[in-house]
Amino acid sequence: MPEYFKISGGYVYDPANNIDGQVKDLWICDGKIVEPPSDPFIQPNRTLNASGLVIMPGGVDMHCHIAGPKVNAARKMRPEEKRRAEPVHRTSITHSGTLGSVPSTFATGYKYIGLGYTTAFDAAVPPLSARHTHEEFGDTPCIDKGFYVLMGNNHYIMNAIHDEEPERVKAFVGWLLGAAKGYAAKIVNPGGVEVWKQQQAGNVSGIDSVVDHFDVTPRQIIREVSKAVDDLHLPHSSHIHCNNLGMPGNWQTTLGSMEALEGHRGHITHIQFHSYGGGEGDENTFNSKVAPLADYVNSHPNVTVDVGQVLFGETTSMTGDGPLGYFLSNVYGTKWFSADTEMEAGCGIAPIKYRNKSLVHALQWAIGLEWYLMVEDPWRVVMSTDHPNGGSFLAYPQIIRLLMDRNYRHEILKTVHPDVVNRSQLADLDREYTLGEIAVITRAGPARILGLKHKGHLGPGADADITIYTPHENKETMFELPRYVIKSGIILAEEGDVRHEFYGKTLHVAPEYDSGIESSISKWFEDFYSIRFRNYPVSDSYLHESENVTTG
Ligand SMILES: [Zn+2]
């Protein structure tokens, strides 16, 4: 006999199935949501009474930094922060750990599940470090996870684009994702990281700058990689961190990057950092350009975005955008870490602090909120802080309150730098999110954008990843400590306390590609890499629990 677990009587928010707060029972069997048994005499083996509580699918964080070489470097780089970081105490079920802006692996898993998030994706892993990242995932409990593979500055790809060989780009992207056991193709400051690696303080200036030695432009890299991703029928589109992050006037680069897709699917990440007007190096002209960019997103369904909301306070910036790390360390006058990964990628890390009385920081905060409020279709804008770059994922409940309660939002607006009201439209935006729309931007939407058919909804066949909240007038209070979090059908957390040892699985793709390319890649490795071709791919047996999500 199958074992049934029934959750009864809760208000269900399941926007993918058009359920918006109706009282509905959920039946679970073998870790999946199932139809209620047709035989009315079948009783569930276990029932959870959720009367009066709010039920949503488990949260899906589609852009955060939780594993891989730069996350680990950031943990080591800030002992002064780790010394005062809040500890996570060991129990009979859990390991010890620390919080701070870059939590330890174990603390990361426990805090995500405690917050009601059941799936998270690290957004920037050099494929050469994929093996290490999978090791770290093995120590990141409770949640399902995956990572995106950096390829916007990869020498092999830039050469193939220069040689106008789209089939070679496509085969290489397919091979690389399978070799790394990654989930999606990530483009970070296309071409710009390579120029940084070549020249002191180098970068590209816009999407039509030419990358020295490769004779390709960011526009070509965006277009060709995004085309390859579509041609491979990958579940997620290309995932793009545009050029000129953080620079006044960069909104035109962002608009150009969306146009460079030429109709292919593309996800523009942490778009808040890419929506600035004003002249270079002139703080007095810095302003919001969300309006024209949101117009473009609203009228182009091939484009999706996540926000990268800034919250006030201290954090650690970490990025695959090498020149950006250098720029931030100059702005903040802090220590700085930089590394190159052979012919693949770069990275920069710097401690930063967002202050509400700083005009630039207050505008960044407002620009993030404008994005949520000015994209008409909540299915195409996703909640993120680019953890930990704009703030911690633990700030999501605060963002929810800002979106659901305009009075609160206007009160906070009064406490930040006064010029923000003249340089952004935030003060004029009265929109308030509903609970159903919050369910879209935190789980249903990101799951759909990622092509995760079994996540982000509560219909039959979905993974039984479920978060149950106690309703509260103050939405920050409601969302920061869910009453129950169910992962794969198990009640894994209750009011933040982890109840079982559970590791979750790694989500990855294994695209079909033209294997004729392997002899050329093998020669490339023999000539240039520090590692043998045959030692590079991560084998299935190396992963802990995993699921191949390839579609097509
Ligand atoms: Zn990021």
Side-chain angles (χ1 to χ4, degrees):
M1 278 294 285
E3 295 233 339
Y4 286 107
F5 172 26
K6 182 172 124 176
I7 302 172
S8 66
Y11 300 106
V12 174
Y13 289 84
D14 180 14
N17 293 303
N18 294 315
I19 296 166
D20 191 41
Q22 287 94 312
V23 173
K24 190 176 182 296
D25 294 341
L26 294 175
W27 288 73
I28 296 164
C29 186
D30 277 341
K32 297 275 185 184
I33 310 272
V34 294
E35 297 276 9
S38 49
D39 179 347
F41 293 102
I42 290 182
Q43 292 294 315
N45 303 69
R46 182 172 186 194
T47 301
L48 181 69
N49 180 359
S51 301
L53 303 179
V54 165
I55 299 180
M56 293 186 182
V60 177
D61 195 339
M62 74 178 291
H63 189 110
C64 56
H65 299 275
I66 54 171
K70 72 182 165 2
V71 179
N72 245 355
R75 288 180 181 124
K76 284 183 285 198
M77 179 180 163
R78 301 201 59 200
E80 76 287 358
E81 192 205 34
K82 278 290 174 200
R83 248 177 251 125
R84 54 190 157 82
E86 191 187 325
V88 171
H89 294 290
R90 185 173 162 224
T91 69
S92 60
I93 291 156
T94 60
H95 293 256
S96 60
T98 51
L99 292 178
S101 59
V102 194
S104 62
T105 50
F106 290 105
T108 297
Y110 302 144
K111 287 295 168 181
Y112 262 116
I113 204 76
L115 190 68
Y117 272 71
T118 48
T119 305
F121 285 86
D122 186 280
V125 169
L128 192 58
S129 303
R131 196 177 294 277
H132 163 89
T133 308
H134 287 295
E135 293 274 10
E136 258 185 279
F137 275 174
D139 273 355
T140 305
C142 300
I143 54 174
D144 293 342
K145 52 251 160 187
F147 61 77
Y148 309 151
V149 175
L150 291 167
M151 44 180 91
N153 293 275
N154 185 296
H155 289 195
Y156 190 98
I157 290 177
M158 288 192 290
N159 284 337
I161 291 171
H162 174 262
D163 296 344
E164 296 183 28
E165 294 188 58
E167 287 302 316
R168 212 169 114 216
V169 176
K170 177 184 166 189
F172 186 81
V173 169
W175 171 81
L176 189 62
L177 279 169
K181 296 277 186 290
Y183 190 77
K186 176 74 181 298
I187 299 171
V188 170
N189 186 2
V193 179
E194 174 54 32
V195 177
W196 161 255
K197 287 157 76 170
Q198 293 172 12
Q199 306 166 11
Q200 189 178 355
N203 201 345
V204 294
S205 58
I207 62 163
D208 294 309
S209 297
V210 176
V211 180
D212 271 358
H213 303 292
F214 292 89
D215 195 24
V216 295
T217 62
R219 182 189 299 279
Q220 289 173 297
I221 297 170
I222 291 170
R223 183 184 65 219
E224 296 303 320
V225 172
S226 301
K227 176 177 167 10
V229 165
D230 275 358
D231 289 348
L232 287 161
H233 304 289
L234 296 178
H236 184 37
S237 67
S238 60
H239 195 102
I240 304 163
H241 157 149
C242 297
N243 305 111
N244 291 336
L245 187 152
M247 303 299 162
N250 66 6
W251 75 280
Q252 281 173 315
T253 304
T254 308
L255 185 64
S257 303
M258 296 194 285
E259 289 166 351
L261 290 166
E262 295 185 5
H264 294 293
R265 295 178 301 159
H267 180 85
I268 309 292
T269 189
H270 41 67
I271 196 161
Q272 177 278 125
F273 289 111
H274 304 271
S275 309
Y276 305 152
E280 205 174 319
D282 186 358
E283 196 175 296
N284 288 324
T285 58
F286 193 63
N287 68 89
S288 167
K289 286 290 182 188
V290 177
L293 291 174
D295 277 352
Y296 187 93
V297 172
N298 286 333
S299 57
H300 291 81
N302 62 313
V303 180
T304 56
V305 305
D306 68 85
V307 170
Q309 179 70 40
V310 155
L311 285 310
F312 302 117
E314 258 184 73
T315 189
T316 305
S317 162
M318 56 176 73
T319 173
D321 191 339
L324 173 65
Y326 173 69
F327 169 78
L328 290 171
S329 74
N330 281 332
V331 168
Y332 290 93
T334 51
K335 59 184 164 182
W336 160 62
F337 176 93
S338 181
D340 296 346
T341 311
E342 300 195 12
M343 292 163 293
E344 296 188 337
C347 124
I349 306 169
I352 54 175
K353 186 173 184 182
Y354 296 108
R355 294 176 294 116
N356 64 349
K357 300 300 183 195
S358 147
L359 174 59
V360 171
H361 297 163
L363 259 170
Q364 291 181 306
W365 172 83
I367 286 169
L369 293 174
E370 283 185 305
W371 268 107
Y372 294 108
L373 299 167
M374 291 169 82
V375 172
E376 288 157 8
D377 178 3
W379 288 92
R380 294 201 289 122
V381 58
V382 173
M383 181 172 295
S384 73
T385 57
D386 188 16
H387 164 85
N389 286 302
S392 167
F393 64 84
L394 292 168
Y396 291 162
Q398 191 187 336
I399 302 172
I400 292 172
R401 186 176 179 201
L402 287 162
L403 298 179
M404 293 191 73
D405 182 347
R406 70 172 158 246
N407 293 331
Y408 173 67
R409 190 164 71 228
H410 291 319
E411 283 307 309
I412 300 293
L413 182 56
K414 284 180 200 156
T415 68
V416 309
H417 193 290
D419 258 15
V420 166
V421 291
N422 306 319
R423 296 171 188 235
S424 77
Q425 296 184 34
L426 186 62
D428 305 322
L429 297 172
D430 277 339
R431 180 172 169 190
E432 285 183 327
Y433 267 65
T434 64
L435 275 179
E437 288 174 326
I438 292 295
V440 173
I441 66 168
T442 55
R443 47 264 284 163
R448 184 177 285 179
I449 292 167
L450 288 164
L452 290 168
K453 296 200 168 76
H454 307 301
K455 296 200 181 289
H457 75 98
L458 298 172
D463 292 344
D465 296 351
I466 303 166
T467 307
I468 305 181
Y469 301 97
T470 307
H472 196 286
E473 186 87 355
N474 179 333
K475 299 303 182 234
E476 186 172 350
T477 306
M478 170 172 167
F479 279 92
E480 69 190 355
L481 209 56
R483 180 70 188 83
Y484 302 101
V485 185
I486 293 160
K487 176 78 195 77
S488 303
I490 300 163
I491 300 178
L492 199 48
E494 291 184 54
E495 293 185 329
D497 290 333
V498 176
R499 298 294 189 209
H500 296 276
E501 190 168 20
F502 184 91
Y503 274 85
K505 62 194 172 199
T506 297
L507 305 168
H508 67 96
V509 295
E512 281 185 23
Y513 62 91
D514 174 4
S515 61
I517 196 177
E518 284 180 10
S519 57
S520 127
I521 304 175
S522 170
K523 173 145 186 0
W524 174 253
F525 270 69
E526 222 48 56
D527 289 348
F528 302 118
Y529 260 83
S530 65
I531 179 172
R532 284 254 151 117
F533 175 65
R534 65 167 184 271
N535 292 331
Y536 187 82
V538 178
S539 63
D540 276 315
S541 62
Y542 204 80
L543 303 190
H544 301 261
E545 258 194 87
S546 68
E547 180 182 335
N548 174 358
V549 193
T550 308
T551 53

